[in-house]
Amino acid sequence: AQEPESVDALLAAGQVHALRGRHVQASYAFEAALAKAPNDVRAWSVLGLSRAALGTPERFLEQHATAPGDDGGRRAWEALGQA
């Protein structure tokens, strides 16, 4: 079982919200996951997707322009762009 505030639990909760069309709640869950694990590419990617679904990708880009990773986030940006 996952701890309720673990990164994995927050990501799972965000995914459930997103699948149900509740993108604001999903965004909050993904933001919390990214705050707990700033180098987690999964959290960064799904937060970007949820912000795009909300029509606010600019805010995401202002706050999280640099993707996590050793390559300066290049692979994460490419994966997000292909989603």
Side-chain angles (χ1 to χ4, degrees):
Q2 298 173 349
E3 292 184 32
E5 294 298 316
S6 72
V7 172
D8 288 335
L10 290 166
L11 290 174
Q15 290 169 350
V16 169
H17 287 305
L19 289 171
R20 293 183 176 164
R22 298 187 303 225
H23 298 291
V24 171
Q25 293 91 333
S27 189
Y28 284 129
F30 297 145
E31 187 76 54
L34 189 60
K36 283 187 169 279
N39 293 318
D40 191 317
V41 173
R42 301 170 306 160
W44 181 86
S45 298
V46 291
L47 177 59
L49 291 172
S50 70
R51 293 284 178 80
L54 287 170
T56 59
E58 299 83 13
R59 183 168 180 237
F60 173 74
L61 294 172
E62 288 170 6
Q63 295 174 335
H64 307 288
T66 304
D70 293 337
D71 64 350
R74 185 171 155 256
R75 283 178 282 161
W77 270 111
E78 289 171 355
L80 188 59
Q82 294 171 358

